[in-house]
Amino acid sequence: MEEGDGLRQRRPIRPQVITDDTLVQETHSTSTYSGKVFRATLTFLALSLLIPSLAALCFLESPIEPHSLSYQVPPLMTGVLEPNLKLRKAERLYEGQLVGPESLANIGDVLFTGTADGQILKIEDDQIHTIARLGRPPCGTRDNEPNCGRPLGLRVGPNGTLFVADAYQGIFEVNPTTGAVVQLVSSTTPVQGKKMSFVNDLAVTSDGRKIYFTDSSSKWQRRDYGYLAMEGTDDGRLLEYDTLTKEVKVLMGGLRFANGVQLSPAEDFVLVAETTMARVRRYYVSGLTKGGVDTFVDNLPGFPDNIRASSSGGYWVAMSAVRLNPGFSMLDFLADKPWIKKIVFKIFSQETVMKFVPRYSLVLELGEKGSYKRSFHDPNGEVVTFISEAHEHDGYLYLGSFRSPFVCKLNLKDV
């Protein structure tokens, strides 16, 4: 047996050669592992926050039960609807001296309006006087609005008195000289089994016999108009009050946000703004078609508020919000997505959501058959904001607002 037989041979120990590539590999391996740990930790933390938040969101109740609505593509802003700056020629009046002059009426050159603090005001020789209150103070907050009252639609009757629709209390007759107030219709009295939660606008026949008025909803009050618009509730109504028999009856039901009211010049039909549906409906009150209903104008370029007669025999329609085309309309986008609207109102208040509605002011004049005659615009609402009504008097267009602290006056000769 030779020397070395039976001995375990050992492999020679080779020194490890450390190169730059080796360092890069080790560093890469370490960083990859650290990155994985970091991403896993971050994912875990995100999920630990997201899952409970989603679970909580699912259990939160939404204040609205939105309907799925279908709109046509808004009309193109061309031709008569071409954007312009005509409303910027208007003059702001009494700025800071009143808030929310929703509706306007004239007896001679004396202007009357109702404001957000529950007052009926007379404006004569540029002096503002309070002639009546329909509710009682305190006023100025959302919570006390029902007690304070909120005068909306305003009309002058044939005997020179004012007829007022108060959102919370009903229909009133107000003597503009003495300030005496008589309640004609109380919101607390149900009509055909439904309460009136949001009395809105009214129109009076030339003989004073009939008053046509809207109740926007039996569910939502005026202070929740954002919920009403977004939910698409179809419980709005057009009603008729007979001043002789003292009876109230329903002429139309199933309206989505029934709003402005206007009699035709011949008083054979009543126009009703259906705000949520961006259209104006028509109800025939006399003639061969009495009791009939049709659509006067559909697919408006905005969501209509009050309607008033124009001197041309047509109608002024104030748009509470616009549907720009080209452009983006949040209400159009969300119309057929009720699940998104539910989530939105679980997270945000209606006041926050309404801030996303563009401040684009638009007044449209319709012809006697509903055709577009002309339009006045103020993109971004630099001068005229939050229009609720366009009231024509003596060559001027007075513009009311549901929240602005002023009245605007536009000389129609300038446009």
Side-chain angles (χ1 to χ4, degrees):
M1 191 175 202
E2 296 181 4
E3 185 179 1
D5 287 349
L7 295 178
R8 183 177 297 171
Q9 295 189 7
R10 299 177 180 176
R11 294 180 182 179
I13 300 174
R14 297 178 181 177
Q16 183 178 2
V17 179
I18 300 176
T19 64
D20 289 343
D21 290 340
T22 306
L23 291 172
V24 170
Q25 288 175 5
E26 289 183 356
T27 303
H28 178 70
S29 175
T30 303
S31 64
T32 300
Y33 175 74
S34 299
K36 287 180 178 179
V37 171
F38 175 75
R39 285 194 296 272
T41 303
L42 188 62
T43 301
F44 173 77
L45 290 173
L47 290 175
S48 66
L49 294 173
L50 183 61
I51 292 175
S53 298
L54 290 175
L57 188 61
C58 290
F59 286 106
L60 281 176
E61 288 190 12
S62 175
I64 62 173
E65 291 294 333
H67 296 211
S68 181
L69 306 176
S70 178
Y71 293 139
Q72 300 176 50
V73 175
L76 284 170
M77 290 291 197
T78 58
V80 173
L81 299 179
E82 185 75 33
N84 56 63
L85 304 177
K86 292 181 179 180
L87 285 180
R88 292 188 183 172
K89 295 181 179 181
E91 175 189 5
R92 288 184 176 181
L93 305 177
Y94 320 114
E95 190 163 6
Q97 300 178 59
L98 41 69
V99 178
E102 167 90 10
S103 183
L104 304 158
N106 276 90
I107 299 178
D109 289 329
V110 180
L111 186 66
F112 295 87
T113 189
T115 53
D117 55 1
Q119 298 185 83
I120 307 298
L121 302 180
K122 175 173 72 174
I123 305 173
E124 186 174 14
D125 297 328
D126 288 331
Q127 299 296 313
I128 300 176
H129 309 277
T130 300
I131 61 171
R133 280 185 177 274
L134 304 180
R136 61 182 185 276
C139 298
T141 69
R142 180 183 182 279
D143 290 338
N144 58 37
E145 188 173 286
N147 290 327
C148 172
R150 182 57 171 104
L152 297 179
L154 195 70
R155 297 283 188 169
V156 178
N159 58 353
T161 60
L162 298 173
F163 290 94
V164 184
D166 184 280
Y168 298 94
Q169 301 180 62
I171 305 297
F172 294 82
E173 185 173 9
V174 179
N175 186 308
T177 303
T178 66
V181 174
V182 177
Q183 187 174 44
L184 304 177
V185 180
S186 172
S187 294
T188 60
T189 303
V191 179
Q192 292 188 4
K194 286 187 177 181
K195 64 180 179 179
M196 293 182 285
S197 294
F198 187 172
V199 177
N200 200 318
D201 194 24
L202 78 171
V204 184
T205 56
S206 56
D207 62 3
R209 170 74 186 268
K210 300 287 183 67
I211 298 175
Y212 301 101
F213 67 100
T214 47
D215 178 32
S216 297
S217 175
S218 61
K219 177 181 179 180
W220 297 109
Q221 295 182 323
R222 195 220 72 90
R223 57 182 174 172
D224 292 320
Y225 71 89
Y227 289 152
L228 173 57
M230 283 294 188
E231 185 174 73
T233 317
D234 61 350
D235 61 346
R237 297 180 292 177
L238 171 67
L239 303 106
E240 176 192 272
Y241 173 69
D242 190 311
T243 58
L244 291 183
T245 66
K246 314 299 182 185
E247 293 179 341
V248 179
K249 65 180 181 180
V250 178
L251 302 182
M252 291 176 65
L255 299 172
R256 299 183 192 273
F257 204 151
N259 204 326
V261 184
Q262 176 62 43
L263 271 165
S264 67
E267 299 189 356
D268 56 339
F269 61 78
V270 180
L271 297 180
V272 182
E274 192 175 11
T275 299
T276 300
M277 299 309 297
R279 66 188 178 191
V280 176
R281 305 295 299 280
R282 174 167 50 187
Y283 181 89
Y284 293 89
V285 294
S286 66
L288 295 175
T289 54
K290 183 178 179 179
V293 177
D294 62 15
T295 298
F296 184 70
V297 59
D298 200 7
N299 197 34
L300 287 164
F303 298 94
D305 201 324
N306 283 354
I307 308 171
R308 292 297 183 264
S310 73
S311 58
S312 67
Y315 307 93
W316 295 110
V317 182
M319 299 296 173
S320 57
V322 295
R323 307 169 65 217
L324 294 176
N325 185 13
F328 174 76
S329 166
M330 180 179 69
L331 293 177
D332 279 69
F333 173 74
L334 294 175
D336 60 351
K337 303 173 182 66
W339 62 276
I340 294 182
K341 288 194 277 190
K342 287 189 78 168
I343 291 174
V344 166
F345 279 101
K346 285 183 178 184
I347 301 172
F348 302 106
S349 68
Q350 60 175 326
E351 290 78 13
T352 300
V353 174
M354 288 300 135
K355 289 179 181 178
F356 290 94
V357 177
R359 287 181 51 160
Y360 192 116
S361 297
L362 173 64
V363 172
L364 184 64
E365 185 181 13
L366 301 177
E368 60 182 11
K369 295 184 179 179
S371 60
Y372 298 157
K373 292 191 67 175
R374 51 181 170 169
S375 63
F376 303 153
H377 303 240
D378 183 359
N380 303 319
E382 290 190 10
V383 176
V384 181
T385 56
F386 307 114
I387 304 176
S388 55
E389 181 178 297
H391 163 69
E392 185 176 348
H393 174 69
D394 197 23
Y396 291 89
L397 202 60
Y398 292 85
L399 304 168
S401 172
F402 56 90
R403 63 183 295 182
S404 296
F406 48 78
V407 173
C408 284
K409 179 182 179 182
L410 178 67
N411 191 335
L412 290 172
K413 292 181 181 178
D414 293 340
V415 292

